[in-house]
């Protein structure tokens, strides 16, 4: 009798596509039982631009700028993925200088992305202060990017064969300054949010993802590592300058929202360590390979990199022409999104916001 | 035993209250310390000081054709920038004139730049062998009319260095 009455109370409600906590145009179809979520169906495609199809009629250096617009918070890393895949196909290797600069830019991107995630995550849970503090520090990184690459968000700086230009002479000095600055400021993040009693109550034990689920759904990046899934591409398949440095993979086994949060905070510390190993040792060398034409020979090529959100794979099918015959991106957010039903079912709506925040979704990367 | 359990539960209850308040205070200490030090501001102001503002040299604002003091640019209508552009934002309209040696020559009529389709990838500037292009420092691109975003980059009355030679 009781159950029948509850089933009558079920209703379907849309969360999004215009909702501040979905961080973009993503629609969740929620089935609610009072305030409890019975199931979540994510609907995507609201910001589908057909990037994979557009790549087919652009040359390799031209299509790099489209990858900025997928996961716009890891623009440098996306560019690097395409560049590495094309270089792999042509069987060329860039100079050590390019490798070092690429890795420094990637790690700075990772920190900037985690800072913005931390800011927005606090805001999702009702703490507006975090937004100001996170963006204050992110501004320092964006200034470094702006000085060297000319843009703050969609840089298109890393290109097949090298870099679009040399970095600014101040680059290394400013990165070293940033490391010192951010080491002092990062403990504030813990004081403001990590230790906060309301935050802990709202994240501990919420949305527990088992290691098996993470592997089944292909949840990679910090979200997967929060469940003990060793999936750091920087460690498994080191690319660029990662073989030269010591990378410690951050994994936790709890698998709840709080664990995913802690992994990202610890990754910021880890990225600072990697930067510190690289920044003083940038060798001299050419910034661009002298290539006659940037064309992938006939065949199929795959390269994966670790973005701030997980494993990004670039798959090129080439017929030997100047543009790819087929381009496929294995984007981390698409795989990370679809576990949300498993995590959120049975929790309250407010917990769904915390869970989707902890997965750190960037919607244009899901739809591409 | 029940008595001990109750004591423990009551103790935990008060401990939770105490540690909760203490954690809030730790957070408030951070914000409070910034509140008392107005020198170390957390937020940034919008750059209203447009006249004195110095952007970074590499900053990618709007595309511009470099003109020297004699109103000369160095575009020789090779069309490389337009071919490199992934979005077709550059359109070069030329006219043919008879040169001094009797052969017809292309000279630049209009260098049309569609800012509305430009994605600031920066492929056009290094593509130019004559170094005729660069990005300026403008950062406010918003207009009320889309037609204003189609710009002619060569200044009226300007001519090319190569045709004058």
């Amino acid at each position: 009798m009781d159950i029948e009455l509850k089933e009558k109370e079920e209703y379907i409600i849309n969360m999004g596509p215009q909702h501040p906590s979905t961080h973009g145009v993503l629609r969740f179809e929620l089935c609610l039982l009072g305030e409890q979520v019975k199931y979540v169906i994510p609907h995507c495609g609201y910001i589908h631009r057909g990037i994979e199809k557009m790549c087919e009629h652009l040359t390799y250096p031209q299509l790099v700028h489209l990858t900025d617009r997928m996961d716009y918070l890891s623009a440098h890393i996306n560019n690097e993925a395409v560049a590495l895949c094309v270089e792999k196909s042509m069987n060329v290797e860039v100079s050590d200088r390019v490798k070092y600069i690429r890795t420094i830019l990637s790690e700075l991107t990772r920190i900037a992305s985690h800072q913005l995630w931390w800011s927005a995550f606090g805001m999702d849970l009702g703490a507006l202060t975090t937004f100001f503090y996170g963006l204050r520090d992110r501004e320092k990184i964006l200034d470094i990017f702006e000085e060297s690459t000319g843009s703050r968000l969609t840089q298109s700086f890393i290109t097949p064969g090298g870099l679009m230009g040399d970095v600014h002479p101040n680059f290394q000095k400013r990165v070293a300054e940033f490391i010192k600055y951010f080491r002092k400021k990062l403990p504030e993040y813990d004081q403001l949010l990590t230790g906060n009693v309301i935050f802990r109550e709202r994240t501990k034990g919420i949305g527990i993802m088992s290691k098996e689920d993470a592997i089944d759904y292909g949840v990679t990046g910090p979200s997967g590592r929060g469940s003990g899934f060793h999936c750091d591409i920087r460690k498994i398949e080191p690319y660029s300058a990662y073989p030269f440095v010591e990378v410690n993979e951050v994994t936790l086994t709890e698998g709840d929202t709080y664990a995913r949060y802690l992994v990202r905070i610890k990754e910021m510390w880890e990225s600072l360590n990697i930067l510190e190993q690289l920044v003083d040792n940038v060798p001299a060398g050419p910034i661009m390979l002298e290539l006659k034409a940037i064309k992938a020979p006939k065949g199929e090529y795959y390269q994966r990199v670790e973005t701030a959100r997980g494993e990004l794979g670039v798959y090129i099918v080439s017929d030997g022409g100047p543009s790819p015959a087929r381009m496929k991106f294995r984007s981390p957010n698409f795989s990370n999104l679809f576990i949300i039903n498993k995590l959120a079912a049975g929790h309250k709506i407010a917990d769904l916001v915390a869970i989707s925040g902890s997965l750190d979704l960037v919607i244009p990367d899901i739809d591409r | 035993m029940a008595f001990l359990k109750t004591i423990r539960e009551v103790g935990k209850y008060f401990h939770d209250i105490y540690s909760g308040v203490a954690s809030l205070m730790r957070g408030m200490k951070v914000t409070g310390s910034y509140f008392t030090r107005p020198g170390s501001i957390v937020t940034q102001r919008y750059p209203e000081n447009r006249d004195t503002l110095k952007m970074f040299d590499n900053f990618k604002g709007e595309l511009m054709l470099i003109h020297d003091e004699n109103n000369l640019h160095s575009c020789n209508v090779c069309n490389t920038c337009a071919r490199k552009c992934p979005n077709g934002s550059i359109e070069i309209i030329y006219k043919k004139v008879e040169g001094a040696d009797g052969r017809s020559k292309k000279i630049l009529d209009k260098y049309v730049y569609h800012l509305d389709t430009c994605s600031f990838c920066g492929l056009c500037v290094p593509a130019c062998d004559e170094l005729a292009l660069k990005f300026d420092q403008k950062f406010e691109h918003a207009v009320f009319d889309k037609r204003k975003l189609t710009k002619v980059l060569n200044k009226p009355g300007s001519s090319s260095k190569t045709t004058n030679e």
Side-chain angles (χ1 to χ4, degrees):
Chain A
M1 184 62 201
D2 221 292
I3 296 161
E4 264 181 52
L5 198 71
K6 270 183 182 169
E7 277 177 354
K8 268 182 200 163
E9 282 172 358
E10 266 178 24
Y11 55 98
I12 307 277
I13 195 167
N14 281 323
M15 184 168 148
Q18 307 291 337
H19 191 278
S21 76
T22 57
H23 298 222
V25 277
L26 176 69
R27 177 159 72 96
F28 287 131
E29 187 185 320
L30 307 181
C31 178
L32 298 178
L33 208 67
E35 210 191 335
Q36 210 173 31
V37 178
K38 210 169 170 207
Y39 61 79
V40 192
I41 302 175
H43 290 269
C44 45
Y46 287 90
I47 193 165
H48 177 70
R49 293 148 294 173
I51 285 184
E52 286 176 7
K53 193 71 190 167
M54 280 155 82
C55 287
E56 289 173 18
H57 64 263
L58 293 176
T59 63
Y60 292 104
Q62 281 178 343
L63 64 83
V64 163
H65 90 284
L66 290 176
T67 60
D68 285 342
R69 274 92 183 157
M70 298 194 310
D71 183 353
Y72 48 81
L73 295 177
S74 325
H76 275 308
I77 311 179
N78 294 353
N79 295 348
E80 192 181 6
V82 176
L84 286 171
C85 193
V86 175
E87 281 155 17
K88 196 189 216 175
S89 73
M90 295 166 70
N91 217 351
V92 290
E93 203 170 338
V94 292
S95 68
D96 276 0
R97 180 176 177 78
V98 174
K99 283 183 186 172
Y100 271 70
I101 291 173
R102 279 181 181 180
T103 311
I104 292 175
L105 289 172
S106 299
E107 287 308 312
L108 283 174
T109 311
R110 196 182 315 281
I111 295 178
S113 169
H114 286 345
Q115 282 167 345
L116 186 69
W117 161 81
W118 180 80
S119 317
F121 190 47
M123 210 168 67
D124 285 347
L125 299 175
L128 192 67
T129 319
T130 60
F131 202 78
F132 298 112
Y133 285 76
L135 289 200
R136 170 196 64 185
D137 301 334
R138 183 167 173 265
E139 196 68 23
K140 300 271 187 289
I141 296 181
L142 295 192
D143 276 347
I144 297 174
F145 287 162
E146 194 183 342
E147 192 175 34
S148 283
T149 71
S151 305
R152 295 164 66 79
L153 198 65
T154 52
Q155 291 97 354
S156 320
F157 190 62
I158 299 170
T159 182
L163 303 170
M164 288 294 283
D166 208 344
V167 288
H168 198 271
N170 284 346
F171 179 70
Q172 274 161 273
K173 198 185 84 191
R174 289 183 68 131
V175 174
E177 270 171 16
F178 172 77
I179 297 169
K180 236 173 112 185
Y181 166 85
F182 196 49
R183 274 189 198 281
K184 253 188 274 165
K185 297 292 182 190
L186 201 43
E188 277 182 6
Y189 288 31
D190 289 338
Q191 288 167 10
L192 275 171
L193 198 59
T194 315
N196 189 294
V197 61
I198 303 166
F199 175 76
R200 281 182 182 229
E201 292 289 315
R202 285 200 58 187
T203 52
K204 273 194 175 167
I206 301 292
I208 296 174
M209 187 198 317
S210 65
K211 188 179 173 184
E212 286 71 29
D213 282 344
I215 294 171
D216 285 353
Y217 282 80
V219 179
T220 49
S223 311
R225 287 198 283 279
S227 309
F229 176 23
H230 292 271
C231 55
D232 198 333
I233 310 295
R234 296 175 291 172
K235 192 91 177 164
I236 304 167
E237 253 179 36
Y239 54 93
S240 286
Y242 289 115
F244 309 139
V245 292
E246 195 201 330
V247 183
N248 294 321
E249 188 177 10
V250 182
T251 45
L252 292 175
T253 47
E254 285 86 354
D256 57 354
T257 306
Y258 188 64
R260 290 192 282 278
Y261 169 88
L262 279 187
V263 167
R264 289 198 176 86
I265 293 283
K266 285 182 180 163
E267 265 195 11
M268 284 199 260
W269 284 108
E270 196 44 50
S271 288
L272 286 176
N273 287 342
I274 296 173
L275 280 175
E276 203 157 49
Q277 294 173 55
L278 289 167
V279 71
D280 295 326
N281 307 324
V282 181
I287 51 152
M288 190 75 193
L289 288 175
E290 302 216 345
L291 301 166
K292 252 191 231 153
I294 296 172
K295 275 184 194 174
K298 196 174 177 185
E300 298 174 15
Y301 311 96
Y302 185 72
Q303 170 71 41
R304 49 184 190 160
V305 295
E306 178 78 21
T307 74
R309 268 155 213 83
E311 177 185 331
L312 171 74
V314 176
Y315 178 61
I316 295 177
V317 181
S318 172
D319 52 6
S323 22
R326 172 81 171 92
M327 192 103 182
K328 159 82 185 147
F329 296 105
R330 185 259 180 228
S331 71
N333 287 297
F334 187 77
S335 312
N336 291 1
L337 166 68
F338 284 94
I339 200 168
I340 198 154
N341 182 33
K342 197 142 197 170
L343 299 188
H347 286 297
K348 300 266 166 60
I349 300 183
D351 295 333
L352 171 68
V353 172
I355 291 165
S356 79
S358 75
L359 290 174
D360 192 10
L361 301 169
V362 167
I363 313 305
D365 195 35
I366 296 171
D367 293 340
R368 297 193 291 289
Chain B
M1 284 313 277
F3 178 68
L4 269 176
K5 201 181 162 202
T6 317
I7 292 242
R8 216 173 287 137
E9 273 174 5
V10 169
K12 190 179 175 300
Y13 176 75
F14 282 106
H15 179 263
D16 281 357
I17 292 178
Y18 169 75
S19 63
V21 171
S23 80
L24 291 179
M25 284 299 160
R26 258 199 304 284
M28 300 275 273
K29 212 175 108 189
V30 177
T31 47
S33 77
Y34 282 103
F35 181 69
T36 51
R37 284 181 294 143
S40 56
I41 47 163
V42 169
T43 51
Q44 284 228 332
R45 292 180 75 93
Y46 184 80
E48 293 283 1
N49 54 335
R50 293 178 186 81
D51 299 329
T52 53
L53 183 71
K54 179 84 181 75
M55 305 288 283
F56 294 115
D57 293 334
N58 283 347
F59 179 72
K60 285 190 261 187
E62 287 174 21
L63 190 67
M64 65 184 278
L65 200 59
I66 304 167
H67 289 72
D68 65 5
E69 62 278 7
N70 301 323
N71 211 8
L72 295 175
H73 57 77
S74 30
C75 177
N76 61 358
V77 203
C78 67
N79 220 25
T80 312
C81 49
R83 270 187 283 118
K84 285 268 177 176
C85 181
N87 310 312
S89 304
I90 298 171
E91 220 178 309
I92 295 179
I93 301 169
Y94 60 86
K95 52 188 175 192
K96 279 185 175 167
V97 291
E98 202 133 307
D101 51 351
R103 280 160 59 187
S104 71
K105 208 173 173 186
K106 286 178 191 171
I107 63 159
L108 183 69
D109 188 20
K110 273 178 188 163
Y111 193 104
V112 185
Y113 171 49
H114 299 279
L115 180 59
D116 48 347
T117 57
C118 179
S119 54
F120 304 97
C121 63
L123 284 171
C124 48
V125 175
C128 185
D129 291 333
E130 307 289 328
L131 307 176
L133 295 168
K134 77 168 196 186
F135 280 107
D136 69 6
Q137 312 262 303
K138 277 182 207 147
F139 61 94
E140 288 166 311
H141 302 302
V143 286
F144 283 104
D145 189 350
K146 195 186 168 189
R147 282 169 295 179
K148 284 183 185 163
L149 293 172
T150 302
K151 303 187 175 195
V152 177
L153 295 189
N154 52 327
K155 290 182 189 162
S158 67
S159 56
S160 171
K161 275 176 198 165
T162 46
T163 46
N164 281 18
E165 275 164 11

